[in-house]
C-alpha cells in the first residue's frame, strides 16, 4: 500500500512520516457475497458457507495483537453478511486494534449506518467506474447506485472517514478520470486505486490486466491528481495498492517538482520499503489459512489447527523468512535494479502466476531496463 498523498504532504510540510508501527492483517471472515466480481481473488459467491466460528475468531484476535498486528481489515466475500461482525470489531477495539471495513456497500442502510460508523475506524466501499461499467464488473445491475447511496449516507454523518476503492483493469481503465470526478463531486475524502493481482478470478481473467503503456498513463494521471489536490489544498487522500513501483515513478515526478526535497523523499521511500507481504502484511482467509498476502499462492499455516504465534513468529516457514529479507533476493530484472530497496520487487503472487517462481521479477513492473540500470 502506497500512501502517496500522505507522503507528499508530510515531506513538503516538513512533518514526520506516517510510519506503520505494526502489521496489517486482512481477514476474509466469510466467502459469502451478494456480488460476483470479475477480479475477485477468493471467488466469493452467495452459496458459500462460513467455516470460521465466532469462538475461533475471538480466540485468535489476542494472538494477532501479541504478534504486532495493529490494523485489521475486515474483508470477504462481503463481511456484512456475518451477524457477529460487530462483536468481532468490538473485541478488536478492546484490544487496541484499529479496524477497517472493506465492503461493497449493498448492505449499508439507514438502520445500520450509525452502528457501522461507531464500530469501524474506516470504511472503504468498492466503486469500479461509471454505473454501466461498475454493474458489469460487479455482476449486478443497479449495484453502482446502491453502493453510492452507501458512500453518501455514511459520509453524511461527518464522522468516520469513508472512501472508495477502485480496481484498474482494461474494463475500468477508461473510467479512472470518472472516479476522481466522483470523489470531487461527492466530497469523498479518500480514493484507493488497486492494481490487478493474478489470483482467484483475477487469474482466470488475466487478459483484463492493463498493458504496461496503459499502466504508465494511468499512474501518471493518478500522480497528477495527487499533486493537484495537494497544491490546491483539496482534502482528498490518494492511495495506490499492489504496485509498489508507483513509488518510483512518484519519486521521479516529485524530484522534478521539489528538487530541494528530493533527498528527503528518497530517504522516506527507502524507510517505507515497498512490498511488505509476510513482513508487515498478512492475510487470514475464510477457512483459517494464513498467507503473506491475500493473493499469495501458498499458505503458511492455519489458525484452526495451529497457534498463530507459531505460524507468524515462533516457527515461521522458510518462505516467510525469505519474504522478510529486505531488499529481497530476486531474479530477473529485479536482481540488478537500482530501485529494489524502494519497491522490494513488487508482487510475489504475480511473479508466481506468470513465471512459476516466487522469486522472479514482477511481470507487471513498468520500468524500462534503462531506468532500472545503476
Amino acid at each position: 500500500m502506497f500512501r502517496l498523498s500522505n507522503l507528499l504532504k508530510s515531506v513538503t510540510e516538513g512533518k514526520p512520516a506516517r510510519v506503520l508501527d505494526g502489521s496489517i492483517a486482512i481477514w476474509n471472515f466469510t466467502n459469502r457475497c451478494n456480488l460476483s466480481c470479475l477480479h475477485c481473488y477468493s471467488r466469493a459467491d452467495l452459496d458459500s458457507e462460513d467455516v470460521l466460528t465466532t469462538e475461533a475468531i475471538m480466540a485468535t484476535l489476542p494472538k494477532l495483537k501479541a504478534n504486532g498486528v495493529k490494523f485489521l481489515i475486515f474483508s470477504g466475500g462481503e463481511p456484512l453478511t456475518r451477524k457477529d461482525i460487530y462483536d468481532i470489531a468490538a473485541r478488536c477495539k478492546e484490544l487496541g486494534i484499529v479496524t477497517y471495513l472493506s465492503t461493497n456497500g449493498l448492505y449499508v442502510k439507514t438502520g445500520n449506518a450509525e452502528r457501522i460508523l461507531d464500530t469501524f475506524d474506516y470504511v472503504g466501499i468498492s466503486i469500479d467506474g461509471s454505473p454501466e461499467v461498475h454493474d458489469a464488473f460487479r455482476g449486478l445491475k443497479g449495484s453502482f447506485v446502491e453502493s453510492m447511496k452507501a458512500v453518501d449516507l455514511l459520509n453524511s454523518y461527518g464522522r468516520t472517514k469513508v472512501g472508495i476503492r477502485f480496481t484498474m483493469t482494461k474494463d475500468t481503465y477508461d473510467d479512472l478520470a470518472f472516479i476522481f470526478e466522483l470523489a470531487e463531486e461527492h466530497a469523498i475524502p479518500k480514493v484507493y486505486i488497486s492494481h490487478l493481482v493474478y489470483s482467484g478470478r483475477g487469474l482466470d481473467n488475466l487478459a483484463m490486466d492493463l498493458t504496461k503503456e496503459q499502466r504508465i498513463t494511468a499512474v501518471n494521471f493518478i500522480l497528477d491528481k495527487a499533486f493537484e489536490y495537494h497544491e490546491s489544498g483539496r482534502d482528498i487522500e490518494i492511495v495506490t495498492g499492489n504496485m509498489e513501483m508507483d513509488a518510483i515513478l512518484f519519486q521521479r515526478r516529485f524530484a522534478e517538482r521539489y528538487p530541494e526535497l528530493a533527498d528527503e523523499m528518497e530517504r522516506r521511500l527507502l524507510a517505507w520499503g515497498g512490498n511488505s507481504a509476510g513482513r508487515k502484511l498478512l492475510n487470514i482467509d475464510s477457512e483459517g489459512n494464513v498467507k503473506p498476502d491475500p493473493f499469495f499462492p501458498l499458505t503458511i499455516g492455519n489458525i484452526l489447527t495451529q497457534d498463530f504465534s507459531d505460524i507468524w513468529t515462533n516457527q515461521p516457514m522458510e518462505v516467510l523468512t525469505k519474504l522478510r529479507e529486505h531488499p529481497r533476493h530476486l531474479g530477473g530484472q529485479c536482481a540488478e535494479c537500482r530501485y529494489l530497496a524502494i519497491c522490494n520487487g513488487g508482487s510475489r503472487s504475480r511473479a508466481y502466476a506468470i513465471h512459476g517462481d516466487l522469486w522472479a521479477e514482477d511481470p507487471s513492473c513498468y520500468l524500462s531496463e534503462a531506468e532500472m540500470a545503476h
Side-chain angles (χ1 to χ4, degrees):
M1 190 180 299
F2 179 49
R3 298 179 175 89
L4 64 102
S5 293
N6 181 271
L7 199 55
L8 176 57
K9 181 178 175 67
S10 64
V11 171
T12 55
E13 295 180 1
K15 295 180 179 178
R18 180 182 173 185
V19 178
L20 178 59
D21 179 25
S23 299
I24 296 174
I26 302 171
W27 196 331
N28 305 88
F29 287 105
T30 180
N31 207 41
R32 189 170 56 252
C33 188
N34 50 340
L35 295 179
S36 54
C37 308
L38 291 177
H39 67 302
C40 181
Y41 60 80
S42 61
R43 297 186 175 94
D45 61 47
L46 269 177
D47 295 328
S48 296
E49 295 184 8
D50 290 338
V51 172
L52 298 171
T53 64
T54 306
E55 292 73 23
I57 293 168
M58 293 298 195
T60 303
L61 292 177
K63 297 171 184 177
L64 295 182
K65 175 68 174 181
N67 286 274
V69 172
K70 299 286 185 70
F71 301 85
L72 184 55
I73 299 176
F74 285 57
S75 189
E78 171 49 55
L80 290 177
T81 62
R82 284 194 69 120
K83 294 181 180 179
D84 60 0
I85 206 72
Y86 300 106
D87 296 329
I88 297 168
R91 178 61 177 141
C92 288
K93 187 170 289 188
E94 290 174 2
L95 292 166
I97 298 174
V98 176
T99 56
Y100 289 10
L101 174 65
S102 179
T103 175
N104 59 41
L106 270 63
Y107 290 136
V108 177
K109 306 296 179 185
T110 305
N112 65 357
E114 284 199 84
R115 190 177 187 188
I116 290 170
L117 294 172
D118 288 340
T119 302
F120 295 98
D121 297 285
Y122 173 76
V123 181
I125 296 179
S126 299
I127 300 290
D128 283 300
S130 59
E132 298 79 12
V133 170
H134 175 94
D135 289 359
F137 197 67
R138 294 275 161 182
L140 180 66
K141 189 172 179 59
S143 59
F144 174 88
V145 171
E146 294 306 311
S147 294
M148 278 308 301
K149 282 181 183 177
V151 173
D152 290 337
L153 172 62
L154 293 174
N155 274 328
S156 71
Y157 289 85
R159 291 162 49 189
T160 300
K161 184 180 285 188
V162 179
I164 55 176
R165 302 166 58 86
F166 172 80
T167 300
M168 286 198 298
T169 68
K170 282 191 174 78
D171 297 311
T172 64
Y173 173 76
D174 289 335
D175 279 11
L176 179 59
F178 171 86
I179 289 297
F180 285 97
E181 291 166 5
L182 197 68
E184 294 163 11
E185 184 179 329
H186 290 255
I188 297 169
K190 184 175 179 178
V191 178
Y192 175 86
I193 309 291
S194 177
H195 295 262
L196 186 70
V197 181
Y198 312 146
S199 179
R201 293 196 193 108
L203 180 55
D204 297 340
N205 297 281
L206 188 57
M208 74 168 67
D209 199 13
L210 303 182
T211 65
K212 293 189 178 184
E213 292 73 23
Q214 286 177 316
R215 198 179 305 281
I216 292 170
T217 300
V219 174
N220 272 314
F221 179 83
I222 294 165
L223 296 179
D224 285 342
K225 298 305 288 188
F227 286 119
E228 175 194 329
Y229 292 159
H230 174 69
E231 290 164 6
S232 66
R234 188 152 203 165
D235 192 18
I236 298 177
E237 181 184 1
I238 301 175
V239 178
T240 69
N242 305 316
M243 188 61 65
E244 288 77 15
M245 288 66 78
D246 291 351
I248 297 163
L249 188 53
F250 169 75
Q251 178 191 25
R252 195 174 307 152
R253 295 279 305 276
F254 180 88
E256 292 170 357
R257 225 173 185 102
Y258 303 99
E260 73 283 3
L261 296 173
D263 289 345
E264 174 60 17
M265 179 59 74
E266 181 175 17
R267 186 186 70 78
R268 295 205 188 187
L269 288 173
L270 288 167
W272 166 66
N275 187 278
S276 61
R279 184 166 53 98
K280 289 192 172 183
L281 175 67
L282 67 101
N283 170 245
I284 304 175
D285 72 14
S286 60
E287 296 183 352
N289 295 309
V290 182
K291 296 184 287 186
D293 69 38
F295 315 102
F296 208 77
L298 307 174
T299 63
I300 58 171
N302 188 292
I303 62 165
L304 299 180
T305 57
Q306 298 166 269
D307 189 291
F308 177 78
S309 297
D310 290 338
I311 298 169
W312 192 247
T313 304
N314 300 333
Q315 302 167 16
M317 291 178 62
E318 182 183 3
V319 66
L320 203 54
T321 303
K322 290 183 70 173
L323 284 170
R324 289 172 176 172
E325 294 174 351
H326 191 274
R328 293 172 181 149
H329 292 83
L330 304 176
Q333 291 182 320
C334 291
E336 300 298 327
C337 180
R338 63 186 173 126
Y339 295 111
L340 182 60
I342 290 179
C343 76
N344 208 21
S347 171
R348 300 298 86 220
S349 301
R350 278 194 295 257
Y352 187 84
I354 298 303
H355 303 296
D357 179 2
L358 281 173
W359 315 112
E361 65 192 54
D362 184 337
S364 290
C365 177
Y366 47 77
L367 299 181
S368 68
E369 289 187 24
E371 291 170 320
M372 294 179 187
H374 286 281

